[in-house]
Amino acid sequence: MADTTAASPKKSVDDILKEVETTPAGLSADEASKRLAKFGPNALPEKKVNPLLRLFGYFWGPIPWMIEAAAVLSAVVRHWADLAIIVVLLIFNAAIGFFEEHKAAGTLAALKNQLALMARAYRDGKLVQIAADTLVPGDVIRLRLGDVVPADACCLDGDYLSVDQAALTGESLPVAKKVGDTVYSGSVAKQGEMTAVVTGTGANTFFGKTAKLVSSAGSVSHFQKAVMTIGDYLIYLTLALVAVLILVGLDRGEKVLDLVQFALILTVAAIPVAMPAVLSVTMAVGALALSRLKAIVSRLEAIEEMAGMDILCSDKTGTLTQNKLTLGEPLVFAAKDPADLILTGALASKAEDNDVIDLAIIHSLVDPKSLDAYKQTAFTPFDPVGKRTEATVADASGSTFKVTKGAPQVVMGLCALSKDDAAKADAAIEALAAKGSRTLGVARKDGEGGWVFSGILPLSDPPREDSATTIAKAKEHGIAVKMVTGDNTAIGREISRQLGLGVHMVSAGEFFAADADVSRLPGDVERRIEEADGFAQVFPEHKYGIVRALQDRGHLVGMTGDGVNDAPALKQADVGIAVSGATDAARAAADLVLTAPGLSVIVSAVEYARRIFERMNSYAIYRITETIRIMFFVVLAILVYNFYPITAVMIILLALLNDVPIMTIAYDNTYLDPNPVRWDMRRVLTLSTVLGTIGVIETFGLLILAKTYLKLDLAQIQSFVFLKLAVAGHLTLFVARTRKPFWAAPYPAPAMIWSAVATKALATACVGLGWFVAAVPWEYVGLIWGYCLVWLFIEDWAKLVVYGHLALDRPHHRRFLGRANRLLHPHAARMASR
């Protein structure tokens, strides 16, 4: 068999078929299996990393180097207990990181498998849908509007195909393909329909040969910015305090090796090494949960964007409506009768394309067998630009004629209608649109004559039963829903009224002039877009412009879509949502892919995303608090008392004991914010600083109690402080996880409670029984617990005070809520403005 490189357009179709050893009827299933074994899957080879090398990677890098350096120094100074615990910490962190990364990667891989591209290929003479990665050279495939071309192929049959191959060749405009031309893997069918024979798969495609297997830089998400901000804050704070510690130690004549070892261990414990991993795991767990809600996440950061989404631009058909068109009473013009008009519309349809409009018309035929007397010899499917279908039909006598159906204004424009007939048609279209019905114009052309207007077919697509309730729920969540539809303004306004979206429906043409740059709109136009309840007569480029305008007004925007024409807007949106049944192109551009119809899935996904956000926010507050508590206390205690308040072993034990319960935050029960949420660094850093400062004060109080009043020796003082930090640290997690009093609902997840209980019990046993640390009398252990519980209430009170202060002192937040209120209640805002 010939090599499977992409075929040259200069070769004839017969030559191509011979090269790949196939026929226009395609391959048999057995032959396809043999070729799949020979040529491999139709996918670019993935660079797989040996699991052992990935595991070793956790021992390589700045943070592991610091831990390893501390281990080496412990061995040099013969602190064997320190060495043993440091090695355990190193291995434990590597094992946890490796396991969680492997689990998260497996979760995402399983979810993305559900988004695998599909292809339509002829196998055993039948057109079937198969996974695109099972295509082989010689397969005959069918391409139509919205398809991502699954492999390099040569066009065999059909009138034309227009493809967008800008990502491959740099051509800015779609390219028309005819029989004998090559279409490249990864390009997108924009118009038309053709069959093609696969000539190259996987790495042997044009894309496979030119693609460079490097990671794209991409834009930095809000989530990544927040993580970097928090990480930088803690790293700079830690390094500054460690520098003070080292300088003071050198001035006091301490041993350099001991000093450096302690500083290294303290730095490792204070810097949030695991923060990116914990937050990513939290989102991965959330992504898996969202998949059970029929929402598949293709980009983890989209979960955080979803939590902050305050505007959702939603398609009408199939999302807000049932997408189950029913045919109303036909309005006859030149057709013999309603049955003849429906038959003409059916002849301009193609059942195997599974188009909902085509199927609605075909299913409305009085006698379905009446189509058997006719044969389509050519068919041009609907496209967003031409807005009509056209078919060439031969009847039983061999005579041929053409039929077309589509947007009434387009079809009427083809026909020479009298002034009265045109006025009658326009009035009927407006009357039907006012009732929420869309209309199709139908025309016929015999021989060389002109097009004759046969009549109008009214189609209604009623709202989904759950749409109005779901929209009301979205408003309760602070999300303004704006309808975006290609239908005329009257239809959009009626459906919008029925759903409670408001009736300020605006034609997109009012905002976007012909050939205007949709990415740059005047400020007054952006404001009018923000105030509109919905948009009608929308073209693909308009959707992109609407999203950009709303983003420029400071909103996080979600956009739903299902077609290839929606891909630019889905990519631009903060949360691109491909609805159930979306094309491959739309799914590839989206952040969230729905596998169930309707908006209710989106609202459920938003609720879960906000809970995930709260978990990430709680962890960030807790981690900053702990760094401030430990670092400031240790450094200040050394400056004041000239001794280490805790040992290196104790610091390592604290890190180990804290790692276990904090991982369970991914499963915590959380507060559901009724409004969109975004990272507020002022809130996070303010609350963390207050709680951390309180932690330093309370720990100093216990240190004074142990040293001055209980007269404990140094080793027991260190054990005393160690147990206090272990117990109080875990209790702080329960304070940080909620904005309400810590004892109020929502209550912590059982996993979080029991992991905290287990690690606190272990820390208590270490101090009470003298494991790894000096033993302390049990009555003093009880004293520490009582002391920590008292301060738990003080910390919680301080937290509530901070939240109350921040809520009153956030003018930008009030402006945001005011803007959201105007979006959610536009009529009240307009009345107030009068």
Side-chain angles (χ1 to χ4, degrees), residues 759-824:
T759 50
K760 285 191 190 73
L762 182 59
T764 302
C766 286
V767 173
L769 299 174
W771 297 343
F772 305 110
V773 299
V776 170
W778 283 104
E779 59 269 25
Y780 290 173
V781 170
L783 174 64
I784 295 169
W785 269 90
Y787 185 86
C788 291
L789 289 173
V790 169
W791 279 95
L792 169 66
F793 287 89
I794 296 173
E795 287 184 11
D796 202 58
W797 169 80
K799 173 195 70 178
L800 297 176
V801 170
V802 170
Y803 274 129
H805 174 73
L806 292 175
L808 293 173
D809 188 28
R810 287 202 293 176
H812 67 284
H813 184 63
R814 292 199 297 272
R815 286 197 299 271
F816 174 77
L817 291 179
R819 177 178 291 175
N821 187 59
R822 290 195 298 275
L823 287 169
L824 295 170

Side-chain angles (χ1 to χ4, degrees), residues 394-570:
D395 59 21
S397 65
S399 299
T400 61
F401 58 93
K402 292 185 176 182
V403 290
T404 186
K405 73 175 192 313
Q409 294 82 1
V410 173
V411 175
M412 288 165 60
L414 298 174
C415 308
L417 281 175
S418 67
K419 193 172 183 180
D420 289 342
D421 282 346
K424 177 184 174 183
D426 287 337
I429 292 167
E430 286 297 322
L432 289 166
K435 297 177 181 179
S437 294
R438 66 184 301 176
T439 49
L440 290 177
V442 180
R444 173 172 172 151
K445 179 179 180 181
D446 291 290
E448 298 299 323
W451 287 100
V452 178
F453 191 65
S454 300
I456 296 172
L457 295 176
L459 294 163
S460 62
D461 180 17
R464 291 175 53 85
E465 293 180 358
D466 62 345
S467 287
T469 304
T470 302
I471 288 169
K473 195 172 182 180
K475 289 182 178 181
E476 292 174 2
H477 286 61
I479 302 172
V481 181
K482 296 180 182 290
M483 180 191 294
V484 180
T485 177
D487 286 336
N488 65 41
T489 307
I491 290 178
R493 184 180 295 116
E494 173 61 20
I495 297 295
S496 184
R497 183 192 64 78
Q498 293 179 31
L499 296 176
L501 285 174
V503 294
H504 186 37
M505 182 69 56
V506 184
S507 171
E510 295 185 22
F511 301 130
F512 305 101
D515 300 325
D517 183 359
V518 296
S519 64
R520 295 181 181 178
L521 297 174
D524 63 316
V525 173
E526 290 181 346
R527 178 184 53 77
R528 288 168 57 206
I529 288 175
E530 182 184 41
E531 293 174 350
D533 295 328
F535 312 93
Q537 296 175 298
V538 173
F539 285 95
E541 61 271 18
H542 296 159
K543 294 184 178 183
Y544 176 85
I546 290 168
V547 171
R548 281 293 299 265
L550 293 172
Q551 289 174 328
D552 288 344
R553 295 287 292 177
H555 297 283
L556 284 182
V557 184
M559 168 64 81
T560 70
D562 61 356
V564 61
N565 53 354
D566 297 325
L570 293 176

